[in-house]
Amino acid sequence: MHSNHLLLEEPIRMASILEPSKSSFFPAMTKIVGTLGPTSRSVDVISGCLKAGMSVARFDFSWGDPEYHQETLENLRAAVKATKKLCAVMLDTVGAELQVVNNAEKTLQLQEDGKVILTPDHGQEASSEILPINFSGLSKAVKKGDTIFVGQYLFTGSETTSVWLEVDEVREEDVVCVIKNTATLTGSLFTLHASQVHIDLPTLSDKDKEVISTWGVKNKIDFLSLSYTRHAEDVREAREFLSKLGDLSQTHIFAKIENVEGLTHFDEILQEADGIILSRGNLGIDLPSEKVFLFQKAAVYKCNMAGKPAVVTRVVDSMTGNLRPTRAEATDVANAVLDGSDGILLGAETLRGLYPIETISIVGKICAEAEKVFNQDLYFKKTVKYVGEPMTHLESIASSAVRAAIKVKASVIICFTSSGRAARLIAKYRPTMPVLSVVIPRLKTNQLKWSFSGAFEARQSLIVRGLFPMLADPRHPAESTNATNESVLKVALDHGKASGVIKSHDRVVICQKVGDASVVKIIELED
């Protein structure tokens, strides 16, 4: 991977920097995943989040019970109906997460150079001297000198709301630690992360399996975010588990890379997973700070070349309590886009932050600005070179569609697809214009009832950069060469016109199947 991975197109006119940002129907090509929680679960706030640009709602099961999340999901459905904005659902597992349990929820004051004991004894109450944890194997996993981080939801790593500990000694099941900074811990649960230490817990816990097979099945989740993915085998096991749960066999698995183990086995994990989430909160504890950017750039590049979505987390932590991001955070979001990320995942910022709607809106605006200067030409050449020759039939069609669209300055690419694969391949080449993915439902039967597939495929493209799905009328198949096909096209064009991405005299590139052949055609619209 060359150091000049993606350079800005030169020259950028300084005057253009002062032009106000224009709003459009699609706030940005880069997708935004919002975590719904205490400050973002009312119908009004969720509606605001959808209008601001959220396209995937994440439900984090490391806190809150299924009933709580179900209420939030019902509100999301009402908001989707009210705003007519599609939104996918992501279930985030707890996985091998270590937690400090503070049942009494009293504020804990920890003093620098003092000592605190981590104990698996849940009978103990959390205090400034003792912290009960949910894992009995910690004493076997750590040694003197190891670093342990404790904070609420890995919040900001702010030195006042989270604490760094250094293991001093191990006493049977207890771990005695020296406190490295003065901190105040508040809340009922804190995440505990031991730096570069193997934790012998399953990636998919029994609690996770129960939540997936009840809440997940009931709500036909689109994405499973697999926390603490450490090996490709973790993804295979999760896939096997989902395959036995009816509709969930279609659910896409996103591997969350959170520690050095996941980083070491990244290539094999990428092959198995449908997408990757770079969990920079935990990674930033496992890796030295100066190495995090390197992993981000290398991992996003590999995801891009494999045509699998890459999602980056922990970008605007300060907006949990502030109305504006820091300059460094704004630059960080833009760099994630320039690196080639498909999506930005907001955690604490929308879960319990004071400004969930404003956060999504600002992140969307930064993404849109970065997309304007994304060096598509260089990216396209790299991707074609990486794919090599001979290209597969589909890869050739997808790259040709993007090349044609850029050459004729098309305003949009329309792709008819039933599995969503063709549209994702087009998006892999990162066209500068939106890709309308028209999902043609398929009729299927299990001898007892008929059902249409398509909704899953449409929603799953909501995490891919530049892809904007719409579900076609099942009475108009994509493959036919007669007039019905034109009517599906007309619906797609009308949708594009209504959303302001297509105007009179615009050129549009269409990618569709006619019989057994895939065809790319260019049309110019009349008045």
Side-chain angles (χ1 to χ4, degrees):
M1 196 176 87
H2 303 300
S3 56
N4 66 342
H5 175 36
L6 286 182
L7 300 170
L8 296 182
E9 296 214 13
E10 288 291 342
I12 296 169
R13 291 183 306 110
M14 283 297 168
S16 72
I17 294 170
L18 301 175
E19 288 170 6
S21 305
K22 296 183 186 72
S23 61
S24 69
F25 180 77
F26 303 124
M29 308 273 263
T30 307
K31 300 305 172 69
I32 297 174
V33 182
T35 307
L36 301 186
T39 57
S40 55
R41 62 192 299 256
S42 69
V43 177
D44 282 354
V45 174
I46 298 174
S47 297
C49 289
L50 291 170
K51 286 178 190 161
M54 176 178 82
S55 63
V56 180
R58 171 174 169 257
F59 292 80
D60 186 352
F61 275 82
S62 57
W63 64 276
D65 54 33
E67 290 72 33
Y68 180 91
H69 289 301
Q70 190 61 43
E71 276 176 32
T72 310
L73 183 56
E74 297 306 334
N75 288 348
L76 170 68
R77 286 177 177 148
V80 164
K81 225 173 189 168
T83 59
K84 296 187 168 57
K85 301 266 185 193
L86 276 178
C87 189
V89 171
M90 176 182 279
L91 187 159
D92 200 310
T93 64
V94 180
E97 180 166 282
L98 305 189
Q99 293 173 333
V100 173
V101 186
N102 180 19
N103 288 327
E105 290 202 35
K106 57 182 194 191
T107 301
L108 309 176
Q109 299 285 353
L110 301 177
Q111 292 299 322
E112 187 176 344
D113 294 332
K115 288 198 175 174
V116 67
I117 296 170
L118 302 175
T119 178
D121 179 2
H122 280 207
Q124 303 255 26
E125 199 172 287
S127 69
S128 302
E129 291 78 43
I130 197 148
L131 298 175
I133 61 172
N134 67 342
F135 177 53
S136 58
L138 188 66
S139 58
K140 295 186 188 74
V142 297
K143 60 186 185 306
K144 186 177 169 69
D146 279 348
T147 304
I148 292 175
F149 176 91
V150 178
Q152 192 185 36
Y153 202 72
L154 282 175
F155 181 33
T156 57
S158 154
E159 302 303 305
T160 54
T161 57
S162 44
V163 68
W164 293 91
L165 307 172
E166 188 179 289
V167 177
D168 189 45
E169 63 171 310
V170 175
R171 292 186 202 150
E172 295 177 358
E173 287 201 322
D174 291 354
V175 178
V176 183
C177 300
V178 176
I179 300 163
K180 302 302 281 183
N181 63 286
T182 299
T184 305
L185 300 179
T186 55
S188 60
L189 270 187
F190 313 110
T191 303
L192 181 149
H193 191 99
S195 180
Q196 299 205 15
V197 171
H198 172 73
I199 300 300
D200 195 15
L201 283 173
T203 301
L204 208 54
S205 66
D206 290 341
K207 186 186 163 200
D208 289 330
K209 288 179 176 174
E210 188 189 337
V211 163
I212 294 166
S213 51
T214 52
W215 195 90
V217 168
K218 176 183 173 186
N219 296 303
K220 296 185 179 177
I221 54 166
D222 303 297
F223 301 109
L224 180 73
S225 163
L226 193 60
S227 295
Y228 296 94
T229 305
R230 293 165 285 189
H231 301 271
E233 191 53 40
D234 296 340
V235 183
R236 282 193 285 271
E237 281 174 17
R239 180 115 37 220
E240 195 177 327
F241 179 69
L242 290 179
S243 70
K244 296 172 184 154
L245 297 175
D247 283 327
L248 295 200
S249 59
Q250 285 181 273
T251 298
H252 279 184
I253 298 173
F254 273 60
K256 234 171 144 189
I257 308 297
E258 315 205 36
N259 54 24
V260 166
E261 268 183 282
L263 184 152
T264 313
H265 303 111
F266 184 82
D267 290 356
E268 304 96 88
I269 291 170
L270 178 59
Q271 272 190 315
E272 288 294 328
D274 296 301
I276 298 283
I277 295 172
L278 306 180
S279 186
R280 300 191 309 174
N282 279 331
L283 271 171
I285 295 165
D286 244 25
L287 285 175
S289 303
E290 68 273 19
K291 299 282 190 186
V292 177
F293 87 95
L294 267 177
F295 174 64
Q296 176 177 319
K297 286 184 182 296
V300 170
Y301 173 77
K302 287 182 172 187
C303 291
N304 288 167
M305 294 303 115
K308 292 186 178 182
V311 179
V312 173
T313 70
R314 302 301 299 270
V315 287
V316 284
D317 285 339
S318 72
M319 286 196 76
T320 306
N322 297 318
L323 198 47
R324 288 170 68 96
T326 66
R327 268 77 61 198
E329 288 171 337
T331 306
D332 186 31
V333 174
N335 278 325
V337 173
L338 296 174
D339 284 346
S341 303
D342 285 79
I344 301 288
L345 189 152
L346 301 171
E349 303 99 322
T350 54
L351 173 91
R352 62 156 190 277
L354 303 179
Y355 308 104
I357 298 169
E358 291 83 351
T359 303
I360 291 168
S361 174
I362 286 175
V363 168
K365 283 178 183 168
I366 299 167
C367 290
E369 289 297 326
E371 287 156 11
K372 286 181 196 169
V373 293
F374 179 76
N375 192 335
Q376 201 281 336
D377 189 43
L378 181 61
Y379 180 93
F380 187 90
K381 284 173 184 160
K382 275 182 188 281
T383 313
V384 169
K385 186 178 175 186
Y386 181 88
V387 170
E389 292 174 357
M391 272 187 175
T392 64
H393 181 72
L394 262 180
E395 197 93 48
S396 168
I397 290 287
S399 57
S400 301
V402 174
R403 185 180 271 128
I406 288 167
K407 294 279 187 221
V408 303
K409 292 194 164 42
S411 55
V412 69
I413 298 173
I414 296 177
C415 175
F416 294 102
T417 176
S418 49
S419 67
R421 189 164 156 243
R424 281 197 299 275
L425 264 184
I426 290 173
K428 169 180 161 179
Y429 288 91
R430 293 279 184 265
T432 48
M433 64 292 296
V435 180
L436 282 186
S437 164
V438 183
V439 181
I440 309 290
R442 279 183 179 152
L443 192 59
K444 56 183 185 179
T445 176
N446 61 359
Q447 270 74 55
L448 295 173
K449 62 174 185 175
W450 292 93
S451 65
F452 282 109
S453 74
F456 257 116
E457 290 82 354
R459 288 193 304 268
Q460 280 166 344
S461 56
L462 288 166
I463 205 164
V464 181
R465 179 154 146 189
L467 264 197
F468 298 92
M470 56 178 285
L471 206 51
D473 187 321
R475 289 166 300 191
H476 305 318
E479 275 89 3
S480 75
T481 48
N482 60 15
T484 55
N485 194 206
E486 295 310 312
S487 58
V488 185
L489 177 56
K490 186 175 182 309
V491 172
L493 290 170
D494 289 346
H495 176 70
K497 285 173 187 165
S499 56
V501 287
I502 305 176
K503 303 180 294 299
S504 300
H505 305 295
D506 274 4
R507 288 171 179 170
V508 175
V509 168
I510 293 152
C511 195
Q512 67 184 116
K513 273 192 105 148
V514 177
D516 291 336
S518 296
V519 175
V520 173
K521 64 182 181 184
I522 302 163
I523 60 169
E524 193 162 328
L525 299 184
E526 295 159 2
D527 288 337

